[in-house]
Amino acid sequence: VRLPGSHGCGNISRPLPLLPAGLLQMRQLLPKLFSGHCDMGQVEDWAHRANFILVDLSTGQALLVGAGVQLVLPDSSRPSMKEDGSEAQRLSRWLRKLPDTHRGWIVVVDEALSVWQQRFVQTGRRFPLLSPACISKVAATNGFKYRITPGTKWCGDGGWSHLDFFPVLRSGTHIP
């Protein structure tokens, strides 16, 4: 974990002592991680509202976690979705799924995540991410109807039978 230089911590990084269960616990760890290295009063003042950029250094993929980031960016088929409490799940899932052979880095940021999201797009720092697309079918009058459901590996619901899934490359507009 690395704090911004504006907090008087220098260029130090601290390893996580445990995998946080979510965003709240990650924020609570900040004062403990940097005790003796920074002005703790200053850290505790902003730690409860800190935002994070998680980076897989092996693949270059990043995940923005915290307040103000759009979970689903708008496109022609979906409206924008704002944070809904699933930030804790996104953070812990990303950390748990980081392979043992990969190196990760968590950067604490001062600016709003929407600013970072736009900065990544403007500077060309967009990374190809794969997302599952599920195929399902249902009986119809003249045979079968098929549907593709993006973002999931399982789509057998409401009378639809799951067939298979495949990875698809997400568009550049969906990648921070």
Side-chain angles (χ1 to χ4, degrees), residues 12-54:
I12 64 167
S13 296
R14 307 291 299 158
L16 280 176
L18 54 90
L19 288 179
L23 183 59
L24 179 63
Q25 188 178 20
M26 184 66 206
R27 288 173 172 164
Q28 291 171 343
L29 282 172
L30 290 177
K32 295 172 188 163
L33 287 173
F34 293 95
S35 175
H37 301 284
C38 307
D39 176 10
M40 290 291 69
Q42 188 180 18
V43 171
E44 289 174 5
D45 289 342
W46 61 264
H48 71 279
R49 62 183 188 285
N51 294 316
F52 304 92
I53 300 175
L54 288 73

Side-chain angles (χ1 to χ4, degrees), residues 134-148:
C134 183
I135 305 169
S136 58
K137 73 176 183 177
V138 67
T141 308
N142 297 331
F144 293 99
K145 287 185 182 180
Y146 295 87
R147 76 174 179 190
I148 295 180

